[in-house]
């Protein structure tokens, strides 16, 4: 019974070794030239300026792109288990996934029509 989980454990071990090895290699091989500028907090390379008083407009383009990514990321998360269990779901599974894909397509078409995919 546990033999089914061996590939997952091997993959987990490889990923862990790679992560730990990468951090260790960077610490051992990387340059060690520290100065005051490198130790200070980094804020996009510029000195922070005080915010103007009163309300200000804030662009939401970044948040729209992030939400679009989340929508399509969740779509992929639902597609993988469906593809694995496709044989056992039969026509009901096909209909449910068609409805799900239609809903996602409506969201995609809406975002495309509103110009959310254009980088101005």
């Amino acid at each position: 019974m546990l033999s089914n989980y061996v590939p997952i454990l091997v993959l987990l071990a490889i990923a862990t070794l790679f992560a730990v090895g990468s951090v260790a290699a960077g610490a051992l091989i990387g340059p060690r030239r520290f100065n005051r500028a490198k130790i200070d907090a980094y804020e996009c390379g510029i000195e922070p300026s005080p915010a103007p008083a009163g309300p200000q407009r804030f662009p939401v383009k970044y948040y729209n792109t992030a939400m679009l990514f989340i929508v399509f990321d969740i779509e992929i998360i639902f597609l993988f288990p469906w593809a694995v269990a496709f044989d056992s779901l039969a026509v009901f599974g096909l209909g449910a996934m068609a409805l799900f894909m239609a809903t996602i397509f409506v969201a995609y078409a809406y975002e495309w029509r509103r110009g959310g995919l254009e980088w101005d």
Side-chain angles (χ1 to χ4, degrees):
M1 177 106 176
L2 292 178
S3 64
N4 293 337
Y5 294 104
V6 170
I8 295 172
L9 293 174
V10 169
L11 184 62
L12 181 65
I14 291 171
T16 303
L17 286 174
F18 180 74
V20 171
S22 297
V23 171
L28 293 174
I29 299 171
R32 293 181 183 87
R33 293 183 297 265
F34 297 107
N35 58 28
R36 184 177 177 98
K38 286 186 178 182
I39 295 173
D40 285 345
Y42 180 72
E43 301 219 6
C44 300
I46 59 172
E47 293 293 324
S49 61
Q56 60 181 353
R57 296 184 65 91
F58 188 79
V60 295
K61 181 78 170 172
Y62 171 78
Y63 298 107
N64 287 338
T65 305
M67 290 302 294
L68 187 65
F69 171 77
I70 289 171
V71 165
F72 289 109
D73 193 39
I74 290 173
E75 175 188 11
I76 295 300
I77 289 171
F78 282 123
L79 279 176
F80 276 122
W82 174 78
V84 170
F86 179 70
D87 291 338
S88 63
L89 294 175
V91 176
F92 173 75
L94 184 64
M97 190 50 65
L99 181 64
F100 177 71
M101 292 295 289
T103 305
I104 296 297
F105 180 73
V106 167
Y108 175 70
Y110 174 78
E111 190 70 25
W112 189 359
R113 184 99 166 137
R114 298 271 301 173
L117 302 176
E118 295 175 8
W119 292 94
D120 294 330

